[in-house]
Amino acid sequence: MTVVATRIRPDYLARHAERLPRLLAGLTVGQPVGLNAHERAFGQLPLAAGEGRSRSVRAKASRLIDVVERSGLTGRGGAGFPTGRKLRSVAAGPGPAVVVANGAEGEPASRKDHLLLSRMPHLVMDGIALAAFAVGATEAYLAVHDEDDRLLASLEAAAQSRIVAGIDQVPIQIVGTDSRYVASEQTAIVQYINGGPGLPTFTPRRTHERGVANRPTAVNNVETLAHLALIARYGDNWFREVGQPSSPGTTLVTVSGAIARPGVFEIELGTTIGEVMMLAGGPVERPQAVLTGGYFGTWLPAEVAWPVPMSHAGLRSVGGAMGAGILFVLPESSCGLAETARVIRYLAGETAGQCGPCVFGLPALADALADLAYHGCRGDAADRIGGLIPLIEGRGACRHPDGATQLAASALSAFGRDAQWHDERGPCYGVRFPPMLPVQGTLSTGESASAGQPDHVHWPWHVRRAAARIHHPGSVGLPDRAG
């Protein structure tokens, strides 16, 4: 099969350079942007200190929410919920509200939130302050993983500098949460702040009604709040000048895998996946597939993914997922089934342990995928996986098992020909190469958690390319680079 050549639009690079960056405009190399430098880049926080909750102040807060609603800003943590609508729901709740910024980046393949927090903390904190003003909050929290001592110390220093400067009406409290995958889910963060374990609640809370201390709580991703800080300064029309009418603004994407310049990029929503790849220097090997949306996302064959616009609607139209803006390029020389088996094994070890689908279903699914990837020759392994998925999905206490089964199902679809090969003839050559997708924790290539995965050696790219011709005799064509 050959990909239809997808060239980058001739005007795209020029438009990209002219209109972006926005969020990353004040970015410096190697160190956080201090408060003074931040204000030089973006101006002071458009919020007068010391304001109470008089009628005029409440009207001003409502106007801020109006601007956010007109901007079309949606959440950048994965769900894509309209931010203005969320703020208005919390503002309408009884009693004083709470604001929580979710910076606990649970996706191992995502680095965008860490980039913002480690390099541009005051833009995020401006967004927290503005959200607190909009909803009438008396408490504000910024949650990050507790294993990153350096980041925690940096954020504490940034928050303290804002107290000294008298900027924030509500002091921002830095909270270190558990580093497990499920601990970044919003009900897990709320439960942790409330003094409980950092696990999703069995009965999902409506946090905008009853969140921290049973008070109306606005939980937003840190990138969402950074956008809010710019919208408050420059307005909704400015925000909508880029992107698509139905998906306005910019977003941060983390690009990794077989790509020349992996990293975090700011793009206009609606930019095609192929154009994002070219901004990242283009693939270093023929792409076999693209993982969209992270570990709760989906695999798309390269020829399907390349022309798709980066937006929730665009990706859904081809069975993909926007998620937290994650794109991973899988080269032809790698085995997509082996990569998926390893991620599902990781997800099976990251559950809250609160329900049968997580305790029993995901380990069984991980075993079946590993059996197909590393052993094969069963003749029925793919059918067993297909039979397990409906027994798991839709039955969990939270979305964790559903996200894992979505990834597994997409692997059977995107790598269907490979699954047949493994089932009939055994493992392909690609399982001999080291895994590419990152996981956190103790899982490694030599441990029993890999369920039969062989020891790996590191192969140079030219050897991997030669192996790919054996692994995939009908090669997927590499889309053209920018000329």
Side-chain angles (χ1 to χ4, degrees):
M1 183 183 296
T2 301
V3 177
V4 176
T6 305
R7 294 185 180 274
I8 197 166
R9 286 175 286 175
D11 64 334
Y12 180 76
L13 290 177
R15 290 177 62 249
H16 182 273
E18 178 184 342
R19 302 167 73 163
L20 301 181
R22 287 182 162 194
L23 284 180
L24 304 183
L27 191 66
T28 58
V29 177
Q31 60 184 1
V33 176
L35 183 56
N36 290 336
H38 165 72
E39 291 183 340
R40 285 194 300 270
F42 296 105
Q44 293 185 340
L45 181 69
L47 188 63
E51 293 182 350
R53 296 302 291 180
S54 65
R55 181 178 298 178
S56 62
V57 170
R58 290 197 300 271
K60 182 179 178 182
S62 181
R63 287 196 296 271
L64 174 59
I65 296 176
D66 289 341
V67 171
V68 176
E69 286 185 322
R70 290 196 303 268
S71 75
L73 174 65
T74 57
R76 299 299 197 251
F81 191 82
T83 305
R85 191 188 307 172
K86 179 184 289 189
L87 293 176
R88 195 169 297 284
S89 295
V90 173
V98 179
V99 164
V100 176
N102 186 354
E105 199 164 33
E107 278 282 356
S110 179
R111 296 296 289 172
K112 70 178 184 69
D113 293 344
H114 186 273
L115 174 68
L116 281 175
L117 291 171
S118 62
R119 306 282 285 282
M120 306 190 68
H122 291 289
L123 191 61
V124 174
M125 292 182 179
D126 281 356
I128 297 173
L130 288 159
F133 171 76
V135 302
T138 56
E139 294 181 31
Y141 298 89
L142 171 53
V144 296
H145 287 156
D146 59 8
E147 66 182 7
D148 196 337
D149 294 335
R150 184 176 179 181
L151 179 60
L152 281 166
S154 175
L155 292 173
E156 289 281 8
Q160 184 61 36
S161 71
R162 297 172 72 88
I163 293 174
V164 171
I167 294 176
D168 299 331
Q169 298 175 19
V170 179
I172 298 170
Q173 303 176 58
I174 310 301
V175 178
T177 68
D178 188 70
S179 59
R180 295 176 67 84
Y181 191 93
V182 294
S184 60
E185 196 269 341
Q186 70 171 2
T187 65
I189 290 175
V190 167
Q191 182 164 232
Y192 185 84
I193 293 173
N194 281 336
L199 300 173
T201 55
F202 192 82
T203 302
R205 287 173 174 261
R206 297 168 67 93
T207 55
H208 68 275
E209 295 176 351
R210 295 174 58 248
V212 175
N214 288 324
R215 291 157 56 183
T217 301
V219 184
N220 287 285
N221 173 261
V222 293
E223 184 194 339
T224 310
L225 292 167
H227 284 290
L228 171 59
L230 297 185
I231 292 169
R233 284 177 166 90
Y234 307 127
D236 54 294
N237 289 332
W238 169 87
F239 184 76
R240 299 185 69 92
E241 286 175 358
V242 299
Q244 298 176 311
S246 58
S247 300
T250 68
T251 192
L252 299 181
V253 294
T254 307
V255 184
S256 61
I259 203 77
R261 294 194 302 272
V264 177
F265 296 83
E266 184 175 10
I267 64 165
E268 295 185 40
L269 281 166
T271 303
T272 68
I273 289 177
E275 288 169 338
V276 176
M277 295 306 171
M278 295 312 167
L279 288 174
V284 295
E285 184 190 324
R286 291 182 184 276
Q288 175 188 175
V290 177
L291 177 61
T292 64
Y295 295 174
F296 280 3
T298 57
W299 290 105
L300 294 177
E303 67 272 15
V304 173
W306 225 252
V308 174
M310 284 290 289
S311 67
H312 285 280
L315 282 159
R316 278 198 303 267
S317 70
V318 294
M322 183 75 179
I326 297 165
L327 295 174
F328 173 86
V329 183
L330 184 75
E332 281 191 330
S333 58
S334 290
C335 177
L337 297 172
E339 293 286 351
T340 305
R342 182 168 170 270
V343 170
I344 297 298
R345 178 70 65 194
Y346 161 72
L347 293 175
E350 291 290 301
T351 71
Q354 298 180 133
C355 62
C358 278
V359 174
F360 304 109
L362 291 189
L365 181 61
D367 287 344
L369 276 164
D371 187 46
L372 174 63
Y374 299 112
H375 301 290
C377 291
R378 311 281 189 188
D380 64 348
D383 290 339
R384 284 196 298 122
I385 295 167
L388 276 171
I389 288 173
L391 299 178
I392 299 170
E393 61 186 0
R395 301 169 184 262
C398 68
R399 189 177 174 272
H400 189 79
D402 292 349
T405 55
Q406 177 173 275
L407 179 66
S410 74
L412 291 183
S413 174
F415 310 119
R417 187 174 64 175
D418 293 348
Q420 183 179 358
W421 173 285
H422 282 239
D423 228 358
E424 296 174 354
R425 307 186 191 185
C428 66
Y429 200 85
V431 303
R432 301 181 61 181
F433 296 122
M436 297 185 68
L437 281 166
V439 295
Q440 297 168 338
T442 59
L443 191 63
S444 69
T445 59
E447 292 177 348
S448 60
S450 295
Q453 179 175 340
D455 292 335
H456 292 96
V457 293
H458 290 278
W459 300 83
W461 281 109
H462 73 276
V463 177
R464 294 181 67 110
R465 293 188 190 103
R469 289 193 288 272
I470 301 172
H471 183 193
H472 299 283
S475 295
V476 175
L478 176 65
D480 290 346
R481 291 176 178 266

